[in-house]
């Protein structure tokens, strides 16, 4: 027997949604509305305007991020997810040997026996994005401009922190379609076995 529940979305919080998922794990969610959706997806301009809010006059990581966290937390859930997706796409675009070869102590130079940290390279890519749109585009065009030693791991956690500021009691469980992990960009690492293949071999 089919059971139909009619609940106004504006009266639902995430705790209520989770309760419904627990009680009806196999149910199908359907939305009916006489009005068009008011959700606004994250676009490039919004993304970079939030990045520009990083306050480099502060010393502590949390203080640097705070203006961006606050701004993103005021937007829709879909916008937070969209920001996360765009962030990963930009990290993916920088995931290439031609950038890694121009790092400082962590440069990719297997012929020299130099240890290459995939995590530090990820954090270096975060540093490029944290420096804003113009610098990001300059590095894309000229890989040698990538900062030699500057990293900014904290940028990875901006979407989750914005979510926590908006939904204090609900876990952040969004997983972007684009991977930011080093070696994910197959075209950026010619001759390198794809990351997923290497993980499956373990």
């Amino acid at each position: 027997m089919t059971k139909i529940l009619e609940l106004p979305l504006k009266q639902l919080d995430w705790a209520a949604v989770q309760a419904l998922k627990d009680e009806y794990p196999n149910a199908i969610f359907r939305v009916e509305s006489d009005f068009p959706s008011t959700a606004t997806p994250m676009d490039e301009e919004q993304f970079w305007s939030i990045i520009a809010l990083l306050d480099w006059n502060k010393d502590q990581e949390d203080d640097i991020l705070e203006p961006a966290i606050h701004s993103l937390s005021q937007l829709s859930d879909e916008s937070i997810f969209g920001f996360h997706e765009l962030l990963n796409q930009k990290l993916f675009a920088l995931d290439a040997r031609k950038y890694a070869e121009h790092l400082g102590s962590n440069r990719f130079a297997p012929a020299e026996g130099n240890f290459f940290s995939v995590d530090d390279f990820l954090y270096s890519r975060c540093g490029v994005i944290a420096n804003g749109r113009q610098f990001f585009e300059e590095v894309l065009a000229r890989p040698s401009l990538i900062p030699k030693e500057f990293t900014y791991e904290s940028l990875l956690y901006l979407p989750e922190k914005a979510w926590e500021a908006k939904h204090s009691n609900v876990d952040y469980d969004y997983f972007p379609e684009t991977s930011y992990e080093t070696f994910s960009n197959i075209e950026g690492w010619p001759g390198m076995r794809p990351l997923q293949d290497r993980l499956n071999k373990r």
Side-chain angles (χ1 to χ4, degrees), residues 15 65 81 95 100 107 118 121-122 127 157 164 166 173 202:
L65 275 178
F81 301 153
D95 176 32
R107 70 186 179 282
V118 295
F121 180 43
L122 168 60
Y157 313 120
E164 291 173 350
K166 185 174 184 180
D173 59 2
R202 292 182 178 178

Side-chain angles (χ1 to χ4, degrees), residues 110-169:
E112 300 174 14
N114 190 59
F115 174 74
F116 176 66
S117 168
V118 295
D119 288 337
D120 281 352
F121 180 43
L122 168 60
Y123 306 152
S124 293
R125 287 181 276 141
C126 288
V128 173
I129 297 168
N131 272 282
R133 184 173 195 167
Q134 180 176 342
F135 186 66
F136 170 76
E137 293 175 349
E138 288 174 351
V139 172
L140 280 182
R142 294 179 57 194
S144 62
L145 294 178
I146 191 169
K148 308 308 177 192
E149 305 294 341
F150 179 71
T151 62
Y152 196 62
E153 178 185 358
S154 296
L155 187 63
L156 292 175
Y157 313 120
L158 201 167
E160 182 174 357
K161 286 180 179 292
W163 178 270
E164 291 173 350
K166 185 174 184 180
H167 304 289
S168 58
N169 298 317

Side-chain angles (χ1 to χ4, degrees), residues 8-26:
L9 278 180
K10 64 182 179 181
Q11 295 181 11
L12 290 179
D13 56 19
W14 281 99
V17 172
Q18 187 60 55
L20 289 171
K21 288 171 64 178
D22 292 340
E23 187 171 354
Y24 307 102
N26 298 316

Side-chain angles (χ1 to χ4, degrees), residues 4 46 86 108 112 117 130 134 147 163 170 185 190 196 199:
I4 299 176
Q46 274 189 304
L86 284 174
F108 184 78
E112 300 174 14
S117 168
Q134 180 176 342
W163 178 270
V170 181
N185 186 349
Q196 192 58 50
L199 290 176

Side-chain angles (χ1 to χ4, degrees), residues 12-55:
L12 290 179
D13 56 19
W14 281 99
V17 172
Q18 187 60 55
L20 289 171
K21 288 171 64 178
D22 292 340
E23 187 171 354
Y24 307 102
N26 298 316
I28 296 174
F29 181 74
R30 183 176 66 189
V31 175
E32 293 185 2
S33 176
D34 295 328
F35 304 96
S37 171
T38 57
T40 302
M42 177 65 57
D43 59 26
E44 288 285 326
E45 294 300 326
Q46 274 189 304
F47 176 87
W48 289 113
S49 68
I50 291 171
I51 293 294
L53 293 174
L54 297 176
D55 188 354

Side-chain angles (χ1 to χ4, degrees), residues 30-85:
R30 183 176 66 189
V31 175
E32 293 185 2
S33 176
D34 295 328
F35 304 96
S37 171
T38 57
T40 302
M42 177 65 57
D43 59 26
E44 288 285 326
E45 294 300 326
Q46 274 189 304
F47 176 87
W48 289 113
S49 68
I50 291 171
I51 293 294
L53 293 174
L54 297 176
D55 188 354
W56 299 107
N57 292 317
K58 300 293 174 55
D59 296 323
Q60 301 299 317
E61 295 289 330
D62 288 345
D63 293 335
I64 295 171
L65 275 178
E66 179 53 35
I69 293 172
H70 176 74
S71 178
L72 185 56
S73 71
Q74 303 304 302
L75 302 179
S76 68
D77 294 348
E78 291 77 10
S79 292
I80 295 176
F81 301 153
F83 179 94
H84 200 167
E85 190 65 53

